[in-house]
């Protein structure tokens, strides 16, 4: 059973990675170390998570112990929206590399399909509480991303939260040097993303699902929100395979050739989430899980919903 996806760069990206969004700096070093011990080789990071330094500590610890070599690992990070002006891109990438204590990234993504006003503030807002955009065209930012590949700072580049029209703009850009290798999107049984996944995969773009468990620990959860891991039908499928609901929804993505990056800082769950390569969901079970779709999003980035490049007004 394949445990990786081959990117359009020919590099292999592990299907299972550890997510680090919302992992506090104090806990994430131990989480990364526990994940490497459990067999994880793919780590999903981002400048905006403000914990890359501690993620880097966990990676370094395991390299020093001789458990892994750098080339065994697949490290992903993301360019934050305040660095989308062309002259700022390289410095932002170098800051991430310095924090992670690495000399290259395996994959570097544009975090959202729009830029914010440059400056110290990660989420610059106007007096109505909406994000202040900067007007750099994403195609300009993409050219700066391509330069990172040529400079040897990153092996592959991609996007995150882009809809298919925004990806199409990159693919049809005159003088395009490197195609996006990956689109990282929110995806789980309540947001199955069938059209976008089909589109990306048809273009040779690998898909990564973030919040694959429906992000039960999101700070803005409301009591009336659906709870994926408590869904009786998912529990029933899990019982049949002698697996947990989390393992079932992770396996669901892997069978679609979609990479998953569940976040946890709990060693026992980190181990549990990795154990998804020893069972298979039936066609019927896959169809049942797909039928749960209700286009429900955890991450709406609503402070940008008036931005001309806001990605979620489009159907996919």
């Amino acid at each position: 059973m394949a445990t990786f996806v081959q990117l359009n760069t020919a590099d292999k990206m592990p299907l299972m990675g550890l997510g680090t969004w919302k992992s506090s700096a104090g806990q994430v070093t131990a989480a990364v170390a526990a994940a490497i011990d459990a067999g994880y080789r793919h780590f999903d990071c981002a400048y905006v998570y403000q914990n890359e330094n501690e993620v880097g500590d966990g990676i370094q610890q395991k390299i020093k112990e001789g458990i892994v070599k750098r080339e065994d690992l697949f490290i992903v990070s993301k360019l934050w929206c305040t660095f989308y002006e062309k002259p700022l891109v390289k410095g932002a990438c170098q800051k991430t590399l310095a924090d992670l204590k690495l000399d290259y990234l395996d994959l570097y993504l544009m975090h959202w399909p729009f830029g914010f006003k440059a400056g110290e503030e990660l989420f610059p807002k106007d007096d109505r509480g909406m994000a202040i955009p900067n007007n750099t065209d994403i195609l300009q930012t993409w050219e700066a991303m391509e330069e990172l590949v040529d400079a040897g700072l990153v092996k592959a580049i991609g996007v995150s939260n882009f809809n298919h029209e925004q990806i199409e703009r990159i693919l049809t850009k005159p003088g395009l040097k490197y195609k996006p290798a990956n689109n990282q999107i929110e995806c789980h049984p309540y947001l199955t993303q069938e059209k976008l996944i089909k589109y990306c995969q048809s273009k040779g773009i690998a898909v990564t699902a973030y919040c694959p468990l429906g992000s039960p620990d999101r700070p803005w959860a409301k009591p009336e929100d659906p709870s994926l891991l408590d869904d009786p039908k998912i529990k029933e499928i899990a019982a049949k395979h002698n697996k947990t609901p989390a393992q079932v929804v992770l396996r669901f993505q892997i069978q679609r050739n979609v990479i998953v990056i569940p976040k946890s800082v709990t060693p026992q769950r980190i181990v549990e989430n990795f154990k998804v390569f020893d069972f298979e969901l039936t066609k019927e079970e896959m169809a049942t899980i797909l039928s749960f779709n209700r286009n429900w999003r955890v991450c709406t980035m609503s402070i940008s919903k008036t931005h001309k490049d806001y990605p979620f007004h489009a159907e996919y």
Side-chain angles (χ1 to χ4, degrees):
M1 189 179 288
T3 57
F4 59 83
V5 170
Q6 188 147 2
L7 300 180
N8 57 27
T9 57
D11 283 329
K12 291 172 174 170
M13 181 168 181
L15 274 160
M16 172 62 74
L18 183 75
T20 61
W21 175 46
K22 305 184 304 313
S23 298
S24 72
Q27 294 179 301
V28 79
T29 302
V32 167
I36 289 175
D37 288 339
Y40 289 73
R41 297 294 177 261
H42 164 193
F43 293 88
D44 182 78
C45 315
Y47 177 84
V48 77
Y49 303 163
Q50 297 183 64
N51 59 6
E52 289 192 318
N53 195 29
E54 291 75 18
V55 170
D57 289 341
I59 292 170
Q60 277 310 310
Q61 181 191 323
K62 288 293 156 187
I63 290 176
K64 282 203 183 82
E65 288 174 17
I67 308 290
V68 283
K69 297 192 196 62
R70 167 64 184 99
E71 55 271 26
D72 301 332
L73 300 173
F74 194 99
I75 312 294
V76 182
S77 187
K78 307 178 198 83
L79 177 72
W80 185 240
C81 308
T82 51
F83 301 104
Y84 276 22
E85 289 164 36
K86 235 176 151 175
L88 301 179
V89 172
K90 190 175 183 184
C93 180
Q94 287 169 322
K95 168 81 171 100
T96 276
L97 285 169
D99 283 346
L100 289 169
K101 294 163 273 290
L102 302 174
D103 47 19
Y104 69 90
L105 292 168
D106 295 277
L107 178 63
Y108 197 45
L109 308 176
M110 288 177 65
H111 208 143
W112 287 88
F114 44 71
F116 291 160
K117 186 179 85 127
E120 285 297 293
E121 259 189 69
L122 294 174
F123 295 92
K125 295 189 189 81
D126 62 20
D127 43 20
R128 298 186 327 259
M130 297 306 278
I132 304 171
N134 85 6
N135 294 315
T136 304
D137 191 297
I138 57 172
L139 297 183
Q140 289 292 303
T141 311
W142 189 255
E143 286 178 7
M145 296 285 283
E146 292 178 321
E147 287 167 15
L148 301 175
V149 178
D150 290 335
L153 296 178
V154 307
K155 287 196 169 182
I157 48 177
V159 295
S160 180
N161 298 298
F162 278 50
N163 64 36
H164 88 284
E165 290 155 15
Q166 293 167 326
I167 294 172
E168 195 65 31
R169 274 197 72 211
I170 294 181
L171 293 178
T172 54
K173 171 190 180 296
L176 180 72
K177 199 164 183 187
Y178 302 114
K179 279 171 58 169
N182 179 252
N183 186 18
Q184 183 178 128
I185 56 177
E186 179 179 342
C187 187
H188 43 72
Y190 295 155
L191 182 69
T192 51
Q193 299 273 27
E194 283 160 273
K195 285 187 172 164
L196 185 52
I197 290 171
K198 193 176 173 190
Y199 168 82
C200 290
Q201 291 179 340
S202 77
K203 300 287 183 186
I205 298 169
V207 176
T208 299
Y210 73 75
C211 298
L213 307 177
S215 193
D217 63 345
R218 64 192 179 283
W220 55 85
K222 299 193 220 39
E224 68 274 14
D225 283 347
S227 170
L228 182 59
L229 299 180
D230 296 320
D231 194 297
K233 279 201 184 123
I234 294 205
K235 284 177 147 169
E236 193 183 318
I237 293 171
K240 217 158 72 193
H241 289 276
N242 210 7
K243 288 286 180 181
T244 64
Q247 287 167 327
V248 166
V249 298
L250 295 172
R251 179 69 205 175
F252 159 71
Q253 301 291 6
I254 284 170
Q255 280 183 222
R256 308 163 83 197
N257 217 25
V258 168
I259 298 147
V260 281
I261 46 170
K263 169 258 166 182
S264 180
V265 291
T266 315
Q268 175 203 337
R269 285 214 195 102
I270 289 172
V271 169
E272 174 194 308
N273 290 344
F274 199 74
K275 293 185 173 163
V276 289
F277 295 102
D278 58 353
F279 75 107
E280 202 161 338
L281 299 170
T282 65
K283 258 208 197 77
E284 295 71 31
E285 289 166 338
M286 289 293 289
T288 298
I289 298 172
L290 279 171
S291 75
F292 296 169
N293 183 50
R294 44 177 100 176
N295 294 322
W296 176 77
R297 275 182 201 279
V298 170
C299 289
T300 57
M301 189 58 108
S302 52
I303 61 166
S304 293
K305 57 171 186 279
T306 53
H307 192 289
K308 66 176 173 32
D309 294 318
Y310 183 73
F312 306 143
H313 295 317
E315 185 203 350
Y316 73 97

